[in-house]
């Protein structure tokens, strides 16, 4: 490929498209982001909260929208679609057609006067048709770009020129342009990433749900909007028929999923179990607990990180779970309910017909591909898979059949946000591999206005108080806090905003800083851990030093934790603002230095994840040191035979290992572990067990996990009787040739698989994610080898999520019998003699059954490695309660650690199948490349500083400093801080007996100012 | 004012990397706790010196909570261990000065311990409430 282009086309402005665009734009590629609607944000923006953290969706998405909207190297093309794509990988020519907005984005100030005057009301599609919008509209309050658009289909003027034009008359900026014509952009790009997302299933095709006929039956997407503070009823859930607040709500799972006959969707939509639980939990929270919520389900699929614990918590909070598929929904007849109520008919687990009346029913609709995406795929020459999603490669789900065209997000299979974000980064990694030689060739460099000199200026503080929708405002009296802020010393400006992090507020904040001559800013909203960088960037754009900033955390540490005490929470918010104001008043502008980046990466762990990450970075041109504790590459995957689609693992694995070993940019070191780590992002120095030292700019931890050894009540004769095996034990047989395998299984006429051995129990309260598919894939293999063998599955919930549902179906069609058990009636191994005797309760038959397996296979849990914990300490990374490494954010930073420059991939994060490990490894590589692609890292600005006049040369600070950043001056003997080494912990400050050291912006003066303001 | 209705002021110094994140997690998980606490974010628990604690008491705090990373987890390698040593000695000093040691509390809360953070705040608040207002300075 000669001279590839340094630009990339991303199609789809949902969370996947946004993430892949940001990753690429931050590592040296120029991105054209094409979005068909008037603003980016996609489906995630429509959600109220996200599982399993209950984060407000808009709040965590908004900073990304803003970043995308103002990124110098992202060209946002809204109202656009791809017309054609010619050429080949590295040199494509894309034609993109942009529809007219009829509003000049350069002039529109988003004041909303146009929409106020527009006489034409139409259903608001952002709220799924609940409520109205005007023909000139803003997609949603935090829209990026924050510009109105005219909907040509409904605009009176555009249909009958001369008849209306109210918006044009009203617009104070003269932004309306009815004569705007479509524009065609011809873009030369090196690669294309498709992130078109999904479409929610339309349940009106399923008559039993009553959707569209029976009042108060809504879809889950509609319910998200009802819950949302920016939705049609401002977060106070009410039913359409009588505006009554529902007190009894039912959720129906698998509407349009796992339904081959009526919905033609045989696959599982993966996300619905979790979002239904989340909606029930949040609805209950909204209604102060006065809600009876019940979820009707087939299998509860809470297979992701933190999901099972969330499910357990929901059960403890009184959410009802009924294992039943609802037969029909009808309006409740007189005598059974009031007008507007709905009656659900279903057969319960005992097979009895039941009726139950609810105020409202929510249909947990599945995910499918939109017809426009199907058309796009055919334009690009991408096939669809059997489920109508974009066809990708089995072991690398971001690769398509066309080189240079990649896919991420829900368009290839239903998936949740973290998985989509991971794929987005993985797609970025694959693009960067392809276009590494064109890095930084087409990008632009950001220039900030020079910083205003504040010498001699008294503090002029601006305070911005956030409603955060209703997250803060439903508890804290935001207006009172804003008014209070005005009374504080040095505060010259204060205002409250619905969402302080939305693009319009950010832009206006820049203007306000300039207009009011502010020289310090306080934002009272959420946590500085997530939002400080966004606001600091705003300060820089306004010509202020970014350290003249402080946040008051009035959400995570106030409104969310004092929900039933609004007065006290308001008082606390005032005091937190007062503390922030007092502290920021003594902040000084700080400057940071920069240090060259070591352009190499250390990858720890030689399994599939480690190899994939190493190879990707090596292909991008970075030096990689891969260390492996054992003596071979391959890790847990060496034990596997096939993936869930039945494709052999061994060839993929040996090719990965071969490429890793032979790649000139990769040094593989066996029997090597980490002994010590120094330094930080861009400049790590790691000492290995052989005493050698590796210098690297980034690190990827991929140390894997291990299978649990069955023991205690889960032993089932394992280790005692050779007929009892684990999944890996059976894989050893299935690896053999057909003749040998048949030989080994010659005595086996009955095989029993026991699921959830060691998973989903109080000691290990998580689902191991892969065992259901693994066991079922093996059961099919057994049936294929010996069709007459009886195969039983003792399971708790079958969790063949996504397209894996097909193998569940295949297993049943081949005669595998599934018997559900629960923890209260654990199957018992009665005899370990000539015959294994297993007794279990069959809930379908309603009686005990006895099995005499010749082969008992235990699907054991995946457990974290103990040494992962030790390793995490070297890199200052956290581990969660289950012992898995903890990512920086469960939803939007799934492969980053909170420690900069360190990333994770594979089983050490959470149990996952091989293709998800590969994707995560590529994602980690993309994130690491964001560090390595740059030439410099900034050094700490918040560092310690010595006042020599006070120093008594005792040397205590030098002894305390963990970074050896303090030395004695050769001349005076006084302490000297090396700012390049100082990390700003402040231990020396606390240790100095003569008060001679201060930590910038965290000096005694600032802290005492904050304390004394704290209402003390 | 009866002793039971006394609302103490509690200043909490939380390290940025573990305990402040744990406090955020308590919020995200909606674990409720008493509203008496005022959190000051510091880089590391090792930044907090005994004079700083005296300052807080002098400024009118009835109780203090200092929380850092668990031993071995410190983002700055050893700051939390310095803090632990300092406060072990500081407790003796408090007793010597006739101040109830229960007013100054030191603990570890990690970024994943939202529930523990809420529990700690509830316990500390209750303990300081029992001690009553601090008015020795």
């Amino acid at each position: 490929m000669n001279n590839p282009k340094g630009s990339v086309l991303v199609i789809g402005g949902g969370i996947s498209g946004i993430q892949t665009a940001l990753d690429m734009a931050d590592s040296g590629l120029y991105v054209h982001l094409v979005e068909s609607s008037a603003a980016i944000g996609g489906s995630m923006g429509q959600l109220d909260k996200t599982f399993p953290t209950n984060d407000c969706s808009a709040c965590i998405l908004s900073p990304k929208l803003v970043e995308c909207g103002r990124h110098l190297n992202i060209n946002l093309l809204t109202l656009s679609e791809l017309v054609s794509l010619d050429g080949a990988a590295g040199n494509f020519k894309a034609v993109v057609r942009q529809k007219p907005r009829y509003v000049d984005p350069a002039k529109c100030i988003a004041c909303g006067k146009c929409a106020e005057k527009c006489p034409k009301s139409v259903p608001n599609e952002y709220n799924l048709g609940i409520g109205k919008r005007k023909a000139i509209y803003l997609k949603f309050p935090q829209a990026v770009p924050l510009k109105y658009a005219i909907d040509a289909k409904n605009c009176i003027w555009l249909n009958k020129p001369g008849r209306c034009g109210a918006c044009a008359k009203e617009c104070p900026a003269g932004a309306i342009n009815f004569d705007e014509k479509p524009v065609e952009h011809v873009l030369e790009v090196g690669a294309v990433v498709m992130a078109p997302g999904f479409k929610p299933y339309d349940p009106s095709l399923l008559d039993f749900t009553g959707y569209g006929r029976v009042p108060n039956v809504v879809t889950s997407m509609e319910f998200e909007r009802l819950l949302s503070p920016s939705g049609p009823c401002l977060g106070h859930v009410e039913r359409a028929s009588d505006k009554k607040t529902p007190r009894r709500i039912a959720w129906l799972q698998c509407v349009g999923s796992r339904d081959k006959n009526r919905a033609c969707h045989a696959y599982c939509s993966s996300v619905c179990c979790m979002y239904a639980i989340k909606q029930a939990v949040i609805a209950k929270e909204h209604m102060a607990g006065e809600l009876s919520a019940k979820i009707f389900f087939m299998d509860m699929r809470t297979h992701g990180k933190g999901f099972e614990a969330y499910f357990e918590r929901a059960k403890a909070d009184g959410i009802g779970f009924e294992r039943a598929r609802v037969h029909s929904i009808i309006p409740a007849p007189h005598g059974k309910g009031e007008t507007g109520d709905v009656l659900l008919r279903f057969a319960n687990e005992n097979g009895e017909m039941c009726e139950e009346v609810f105020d409202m029913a929510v249909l947990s609709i599945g995910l499918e591909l939109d017809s426009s995406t199907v058309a796009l795929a055919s334009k690009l020459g991408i096939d669809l898979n059997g489920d109508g999603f974009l066809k990708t490669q089995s072991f690398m789900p971001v690769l398509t059949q066309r080189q240079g065209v990649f896919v991420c997000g829900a368009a290839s299979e239903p998936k949740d946000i973290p998985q989509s974000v991971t794929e987005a980064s993985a797609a970025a990694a694959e693009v960067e591999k392809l276009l590494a030689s064109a890095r930084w060739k087409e990008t632009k460099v950001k220039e900030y206005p020079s910083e205003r000199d504040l010498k001699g200026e008294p503090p002029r503080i601006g305070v911005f108080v956030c409603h955060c929708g209703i997250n803060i405002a439903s508890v804290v009296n935001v207006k009172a806090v804003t008014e209070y802020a005005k009374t504080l010393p040095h505060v010259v400006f204060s205002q409250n905003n619905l969402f302080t992090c939305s693009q319009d507020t950010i832009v206006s904040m820049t203007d306000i800083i300039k207009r009011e001559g502010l020289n310090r800013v306080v934002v009272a909203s959420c946590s500085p851990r997530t939002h400080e960088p966004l606001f600091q960037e705003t300060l820089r754009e306004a010509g202020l030093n970014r350290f003249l900033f402080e946040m008051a955390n009035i959400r995570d540490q106030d409104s969310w934790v004092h929900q039933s005490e609004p007065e006290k929470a308001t008082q606390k918010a005032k005091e937190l603002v007062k503390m922030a104001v007092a502290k920021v008043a003594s902040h000084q502008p700080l400057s940071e230095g920069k240090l060259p980046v070591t352009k190499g990466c250390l990858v720890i762990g030689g399994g599939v994840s480690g190899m994939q990450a190493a190879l990707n970075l090596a292909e991008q041109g970075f030096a990689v040191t891969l260390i492996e504790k054992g003596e071979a590459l391959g890790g847990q995957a060496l034990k596997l035979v096939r993936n869930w689609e039945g494709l052999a693992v061994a060839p993929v694995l040996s090719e990965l290992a071969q490429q890793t070993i032979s790649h000139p940019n990769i040094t593989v070191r066996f029997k090597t572990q980490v002994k010590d780590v120094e330094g930080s992002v861009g400049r790590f120095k790691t000492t290995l067990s052989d005493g050698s030292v590796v210098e690297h700019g980034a690190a990827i931890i991929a140390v894997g996990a291990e299978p649990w050894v069955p023991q205690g009540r889960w032993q089932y004769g394992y280790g005692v009787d050779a007929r009892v095996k684990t999944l890996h034990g059976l894989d050893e047989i299935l690896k053999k040739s057909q003749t040998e395998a048949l030989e080994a299984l010659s005595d086996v006429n009955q095989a029993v698989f026991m699921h959830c051995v060691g998973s989903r129990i109080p000691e290990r309260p998580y689902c191991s994610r892969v065992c259901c598919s693994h066991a079922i894939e093996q059961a099919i293999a057994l049936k294929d080898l010996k069709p007459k063998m009886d195969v039983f599955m003792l399971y708790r919930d079958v969790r063949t999520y996504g397209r894996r549902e097909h193998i569940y179906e295949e297993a049943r069609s081949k005669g595998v019998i599934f018997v559900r058990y629960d923890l209260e009636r654990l199957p018992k191994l009665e005899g370990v003699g000539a015959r294994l005797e297993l007794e279990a309760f069959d809930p379908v038959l309603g009686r005990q059954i006895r099995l005499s397996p010749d082969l008992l296979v235990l699907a054991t849990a995946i457990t974290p490695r103990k040494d992962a914990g030790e390793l995490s300490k070297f890199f200052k990374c956290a581990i969660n309660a289950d012992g898995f490494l903890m990512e920086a954010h469960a939803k939007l930073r799934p492969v980053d650690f909170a420690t900069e420059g360190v990333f994770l991939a594979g089983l050490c994060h959470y149990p996952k199948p091989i293709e998800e490990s590969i994707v995560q490894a590529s994602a980690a590589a993309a994130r690491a490349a964001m560090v390595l692609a740059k030439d410099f890292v900034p050094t700490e600005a918040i560092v310690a500083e010595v006042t020599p006049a006070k120093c008594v040369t005792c040397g205590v600070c030098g002894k305390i400093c963990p970074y050896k950043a303090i030395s004695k001056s050769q001349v005076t003997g006084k302490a000297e801080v090396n700012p390049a080494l100082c990390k700003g912990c402040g231990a020396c400050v606390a240790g100095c007996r003569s008060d001679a050291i201060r930590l910038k912006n965290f000096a005694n003066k600032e802290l005492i100012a904050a304390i004394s303001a704290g209402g003390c | 004012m009866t002793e039971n209705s006394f609302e103490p002021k509690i200043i909490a110094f939380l390290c940025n990397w573990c305990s402040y994140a744990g406090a955020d997690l308590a919020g995200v998980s909606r674990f409720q706790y008493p509203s008496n606490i005022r959190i000051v974010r510091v880089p590391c628990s090792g930044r907090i010196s005994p004079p700083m604690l005296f300052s807080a008491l002098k400024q009118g705090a009835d109780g203090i909570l200092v929380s850092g990373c668990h031993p071995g987890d410190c983002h700055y390698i050893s700051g939390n261990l310095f803090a632990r040593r300092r406060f072990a000695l500081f407790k003796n000093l408090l007793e010597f000065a006739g101040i109830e040691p229960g007013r100054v509390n030191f603990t570890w809360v990690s970024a994943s311990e939202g529930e523990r953070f809420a529990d700690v705040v509830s316990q500390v608040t209750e303990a300081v409430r029992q001690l009553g207002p601090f008015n020795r300075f």
Side-chain angles (χ1 to χ4, degrees):
Chain A
M1 194 170 56
N2 292 327
N3 300 322
K5 293 279 176 284
S7 296
V8 186
L9 180 70
V10 175
I11 305 170
I15 183 61
S16 307
I18 289 170
Q19 184 65 47
T20 198
L22 285 172
D23 281 358
M24 293 188 289
D26 279 336
S27 48
L29 298 173
Y30 189 82
V31 178
H32 304 278
L33 178 57
V34 170
E35 161 63 31
S36 60
S37 79
I40 55 171
S43 303
M44 184 178 173
Q46 288 173 288
L47 306 180
D48 174 41
K49 298 283 188 327
T50 59
F51 60 79
T53 51
N54 287 355
D55 268 314
C56 148
S57 190
C59 308
I60 58 174
L61 177 65
S62 204
K64 299 239 178 206
L65 298 180
V66 174
E67 211 183 330
C68 231
R70 64 181 186 187
H71 203 295
L72 205 58
N73 291 313
I74 297 178
N75 172 30
L76 199 54
L77 295 166
T78 49
L79 295 163
S80 299
E81 56 182 32
L82 184 76
V83 177
S84 64
L85 183 76
D86 297 309
N91 287 286
F92 288 113
K93 195 175 97 181
V95 179
V96 171
R97 187 183 157 91
Q98 185 165 30
K99 287 187 280 185
R101 184 180 276 272
Y102 302 108
V103 176
D104 183 347
K107 291 182 183 163
C108 175
I109 54 168
C111 63
K113 291 217 164 94
C114 51
E116 223 171 84
K117 289 287 166 188
C118 176
K120 178 85 176 182
S121 285
V122 293
N124 185 344
E125 63 278 80
Y126 195 73
N127 289 335
L128 286 306
I130 312 170
K132 302 271 185 186
R133 66 156 168 86
K134 297 296 183 63
I136 184 163
Y137 68 104
L138 191 62
K139 195 175 163 193
F140 59 104
Q142 302 99 301
V144 170
L146 193 84
K147 303 293 170 192
Y148 277 76
I150 292 178
D151 153 13
K153 205 171 78 197
N154 289 301
C155 171
I156 298 171
W157 179 287
L158 288 172
N159 287 294
K160 288 182 183 161
R163 288 290 291 275
C164 175
C167 52
K169 281 177 217 142
E170 199 61 31
C171 179
I176 311 292
N177 176 10
F178 291 120
D179 301 324
E180 196 183 337
K181 296 282 176 288
V183 187
E184 281 202 349
H185 304 275
V186 179
L187 308 169
E188 295 194 341
V189 296
V192 179
V193 181
M194 299 170 76
F198 67 91
K199 184 185 104 174
Y201 177 76
D202 176 8
S204 55
L205 306 168
L206 299 177
D207 60 351
F208 78 93
T209 63
Y211 182 74
R213 291 182 294 109
V214 180
N216 305 324
V217 176
V218 300
T219 68
S220 46
M221 227 23 202
E222 289 166 351
F223 196 72
E224 288 289 342
R225 298 310 299 152
L226 294 181
L227 283 173
S228 169
S230 57
C233 46
L234 304 173
H236 306 291
V237 179
E238 54 190 40
R239 56 186 203 179
S241 70
D242 52 9
K243 308 285 170 215
K244 212 178 97 181
T245 303
R247 295 290 172 211
R248 297 165 298 176
I249 306 181
W251 276 262
L252 275 67
Q253 297 311 104
C254 301
V255 176
S257 307
R258 303 182 68 189
D259 178 357
K260 201 161 92 171
N261 300 326
R262 289 173 299 191
C264 302
H265 287 172
Y267 57 87
C268 157
S269 290
S270 281
V271 296
C272 330
C273 283
M274 274 307 287
Y275 76 56
I277 303 176
K278 171 204 74 183
Q279 291 186 345
V281 167
I282 299 297
K284 194 155 183 165
E285 198 177 273
H286 277 219
M287 293 163 205
E290 286 174 34
L291 173 76
S292 153
K294 197 172 209 180
I295 298 176
F296 292 86
F297 69 103
M298 298 204 287
D299 290 285
M300 189 41 67
R301 294 189 168 170
T302 49
H303 48 268
K305 193 174 186 178
F307 294 5
E308 186 74 14
Y310 194 89
F311 173 38
E312 289 297 327
R313 209 158 62 224
K315 280 196 278 188
D317 286 350
I319 308 292
F321 290 88
E322 178 88 43
R323 199 181 288 269
R325 198 145 192 180
V326 172
H327 166 276
S328 54
I329 303 180
I330 57 168
H334 282 292
K336 289 193 173 166
E338 290 171 26
T339 311
D341 293 356
V342 293
L343 179 97
L344 270 61
R345 289 210 180 107
F346 59 94
N348 70 8
E349 272 222 283
N350 302 325
E352 300 149 358
M353 271 311 287
C354 302
E355 291 186 342
E356 201 168 336
V357 175
F358 291 90
D359 298 337
M360 193 177 205
V362 182
L363 307 176
S364 295
I365 47 173
L367 279 51
E368 62 183 17
L369 215 56
D370 189 65
S371 56
S372 64
T373 307
V374 176
L376 175 70
S378 92
K379 252 180 236 167
L380 291 172
I382 307 294
D383 291 341
L384 302 184
N385 62 31
D387 289 313
F389 286 84
L390 300 180
K391 190 174 177 184
T392 54
Q393 293 185 14
S394 189
F395 283 100
M396 186 48 176
V398 302
L399 301 182
T400 67
Q401 71 217 74
R402 185 166 179 189
Q403 214 207 342
V405 179
F406 306 88
V407 172
C408 60
S412 59
E413 186 179 7
K415 56 179 70 77
D416 59 12
I417 295 168
Q419 191 61 23
S420 297
V421 170
T422 308
E423 280 194 0
S425 291
E430 293 303 314
V431 172
E432 286 165 39
K433 189 168 107 180
L434 188 71
L435 308 180
S437 60
R439 191 166 251 156
W440 303 120
K441 293 222 171 116
E442 297 179 25
T443 48
K444 301 171 192 166
V445 180
K446 173 125 194 173
E447 279 177 26
Y448 292 97
S450 57
E451 277 177 18
R452 202 149 65 80
D453 185 7
L454 304 181
K455 275 203 192 77
E457 268 186 40
R460 291 179 60 80
I461 303 174
V463 179
F464 297 81
V465 188
C466 188
H467 288 249
C468 197
I470 58 168
N471 283 296
I472 294 170
S474 66
V475 178
V476 170
N477 183 340
V478 171
K479 290 221 167 67
V481 176
T482 312
E483 288 310 309
Y484 172 76
K486 287 186 180 144
T487 67
L488 295 170
H490 305 301
V491 173
V492 295
F493 178 86
S494 146
Q495 77 170 26
N496 49 304
N497 312 93
L498 185 60
F499 288 103
T500 310
C501 56
S502 66
Q503 173 118 5
D504 60 329
T505 315
I506 293 285
V507 171
S508 82
M509 196 185 282
T510 319
D511 296 339
I512 290 167
I513 291 171
K514 290 182 191 158
R515 191 184 70 218
E516 302 286 331
L518 304 180
N519 55 24
R520 281 165 185 77
V521 173
V522 169
V523 172
S525 60
C526 46
S527 174
R529 292 174 56 255
T530 52
H531 281 62
E532 195 173 53
L534 174 73
F535 297 123
Q536 289 189 328
E537 178 79 7
T538 309
L539 261 67
R540 289 183 74 183
E541 286 183 357
L544 277 186
N545 182 279
R546 69 183 176 97
F547 294 95
L548 299 168
F549 176 74
E550 187 71 17
M551 280 180 87
N553 189 335
I554 62 168
R555 189 188 72 177
D556 304 43
Q557 297 179 1
D558 191 13
S559 70
W560 277 353
V561 290
H562 313 307
Q563 286 173 321
S564 56
E565 301 181 301
E567 277 170 26
K568 286 182 178 173
T570 303
Q571 181 57 30
K572 180 171 171 180
K574 287 180 181 172
E575 290 178 19
L576 290 175
V577 169
K578 189 177 170 200
M579 290 164 76
V581 166
K583 181 161 183 286
V584 83
S586 33
H587 276 198
Q588 293 302 317
L590 303 180
S591 59
E592 48 204 4
K594 56 181 188 177
L595 290 169
V597 170
T598 313
K599 302 244 172 186
C601 186
L602 176 70
V603 177
I604 305 161
V608 162
S609 307
M611 291 192 284
Q612 173 72 17
L615 269 173
N616 182 281
L617 286 170
E619 288 283 310
Q620 292 196 44
F622 301 113
V624 179
T625 305
L626 179 105
I627 62 168
E628 161 60 40
K629 193 169 69 170
E631 292 174 46
L633 295 173
Q636 296 295 329
L638 288 168
K639 299 174 188 163
L640 301 177
V641 186
R642 280 178 286 262
N643 73 350
W644 72 269
E645 286 190 283
L647 299 172
V649 170
V652 178
L653 197 58
S654 61
E655 196 188 328
L656 260 181
Q658 185 50 41
Q659 287 182 6
T660 305
I661 290 282
S662 59
H663 202 289
N665 289 347
I666 303 179
T667 314
V668 183
R669 300 170 73 166
F670 292 105
K671 293 168 89 172
T672 306
Q673 283 173 277
V674 171
K675 276 284 156 263
D676 194 25
V677 180
E678 278 177 53
S680 56
V681 57
R683 301 170 63 83
F684 288 106
K685 251 189 204 172
T686 299
T687 310
L688 302 178
S689 49
D690 59 7
S692 64
V693 175
V694 179
E695 294 191 20
H696 53 106
I700 295 174
I701 301 182
V703 292
E706 46 200 19
W708 187 61
V709 180
Q711 50 199 274
R713 63 178 177 148
W714 297 98
Q715 190 174 359
Y716 289 99
Y718 179 76
V720 180
D721 190 306
R723 288 166 294 188
V724 184
K725 297 185 185 302
T726 60
L727 294 173
H728 287 321
L730 179 55
D731 270 335
E732 278 173 33
I733 296 177
L734 296 175
K735 255 186 195 162
K736 299 179 181 188
S737 71
Q738 192 175 353
T739 336
E740 284 174 328
L742 273 172
E743 170 71 30
L745 296 167
S746 61
D747 293 336
V748 179
N749 293 314
Q750 189 188 82
V752 175
F753 287 81
M754 176 78 191
H755 286 235
C756 295
V757 173
S759 300
R760 303 181 62 195
I761 52 174
E763 304 92 286
R764 218 166 286 101
Y766 59 88
C767 164
S768 294
R769 192 172 174 105
V770 298
C771 351
C772 279
S773 310
H774 193 175
I776 289 172
E777 176 261 309
Q778 288 188 336
I780 292 171
L782 289 180
K783 274 286 189 188
D784 288 344
L785 278 168
K786 283 182 79 172
K788 291 209 164 147
M789 188 191 291
D790 289 329
V791 181
F792 291 90
M793 291 276 170
L794 300 179
Y795 74 99
R796 287 175 62 192
D797 289 280
V798 176
R799 293 183 168 176
T800 43
Y801 58 95
R803 301 189 60 233
R804 288 162 182 74
E805 184 71 9
H806 290 293
I807 60 168
Y808 179 26
E809 198 193 321
E810 184 187 346
R812 280 176 297 161
S813 73
K814 286 187 166 154
V816 177
I817 295 169
F818 287 78
V819 180
R820 197 175 65 74
Y821 76 88
D822 51 40
L823 284 181
E824 290 73 42
R825 295 196 210 195
L826 206 57
K828 278 198 207 109
L829 188 67
E830 295 290 350
V832 200
R835 287 155 70 91
L836 290 174
E837 294 285 341
L838 197 65
E839 193 169 286
F841 178 79
D842 185 335
V844 176
L845 300 176
R847 48 167 285 201
Q848 294 289 123
I849 56 167
R850 280 182 92 81
L851 301 167
S852 1
D854 308 305
L855 173 67
L856 176 59
V857 187
L858 306 179
T860 52
I862 294 175
T863 59
R865 286 188 195 283
K866 285 195 187 70
D867 51 355
E870 287 159 31
L871 188 61
S872 72
K873 282 178 187 164
F874 287 130
F875 285 104
K876 313 295 156 218
C877 307
I879 53 171
N880 73 7
D882 298 325
F884 290 104
L885 293 170
M886 197 161 126
E887 61 274 41
H889 189 277
K891 217 67 189 170
L892 293 185
R893 292 180 66 193
V895 301
D896 302 4
F897 282 114
T899 308
E900 269 188 277
V902 190
F903 308 92
L904 79 169
L907 296 175
C908 60
H909 160 260
Y910 190 69
K912 58 177 66 69
I914 187 164
E915 66 277 6
E916 289 177 15
S917 284
I918 291 176
V919 163
Q920 204 181 14
S922 279
R927 303 292 291 174
M930 284 170 64
V931 175
L932 303 177
K934 299 193 178 92
D935 292 331
F936 296 97
V937 275
T939 58
E940 283 294 336
I942 297 175
V943 292
E945 194 177 50
V946 178
T947 311
K950 287 187 180 175
C951 177
V952 296
T953 71
C954 68
V956 167
C957 53
K959 286 188 192 128
I960 289 175
C961 178
Y963 301 100
K964 303 181 181 65
I966 305 180
S967 53
K968 280 192 181 184
S969 159
Q970 300 283 343
V971 185
T972 61
K974 308 241 175 187
E976 284 179 340
V977 177
N978 177 349
L981 293 177
C982 177
K983 295 285 160 220
C985 67
C988 55
V989 184
C992 178
R993 55 189 74 168
S994 50
D995 195 21
I997 310 185
R998 55 185 289 275
L999 182 63
K1000 291 178 178 177
N1001 286 355
F1002 284 95
N1004 292 348
K1005 185 182 163 199
E1006 282 98 20
L1007 292 183
I1008 290 171
I1011 297 166
S1012 56
C1016 294
Chain B
M1 186 187 279
T2 65
E3 199 167 65
N4 283 344
S5 67
F6 162 62
E7 292 296 346
K9 281 283 176 204
I10 295 165
I11 291 286
F13 296 99
L14 306 186
C15 82
N16 181 47
W17 304 94
C18 294
S19 298
Y20 194 89
D24 281 350
L25 184 60
V28 166
S29 322
R30 311 295 195 275
F31 294 123
Q32 305 293 299
Y33 56 77
S35 62
N36 307 56
I37 186 170
R38 300 291 175 267
I39 293 171
V40 178
R41 182 168 71 126
V42 290
C44 178
S45 54
R47 163 69 190 87
I48 299 306
S49 58
M52 184 63 68
L53 303 180
F54 276 126
S55 294
L57 291 172
K58 212 159 73 182
Q59 300 291 345
D62 301 302
I64 295 171
L65 170 67
V66 181
S67 182
C69 306
H70 285 267
D73 288 356
C74 177
H75 186 80
Y76 301 105
I77 303 171
S78 55
N80 55 351
L81 303 179
F82 283 115
R84 178 166 67 176
R85 270 180 240 166
R86 272 179 207 135
F87 298 126
L89 295 172
F90 184 66
K91 289 261 179 182
N92 295 339
L93 184 63
L94 280 181
E95 269 186 284
F96 180 75
I99 299 169
E100 304 90 334
R103 294 199 184 273
V104 180
N105 300 273
F106 184 72
T107 192
W108 334 105
V109 173
S110 82
S112 60
E113 294 177 328
E115 190 167 14
R116 180 172 147 71
F117 180 77
D119 289 345
V120 165
V121 174
S122 303
Q123 282 162 19
V124 168
T125 308
E126 203 38 51
V128 176
R129 199 194 305 277
Q130 294 304 323
L131 290 173
F134 179 72
N135 42 25
R136 291 187 58 99
F137 284 151

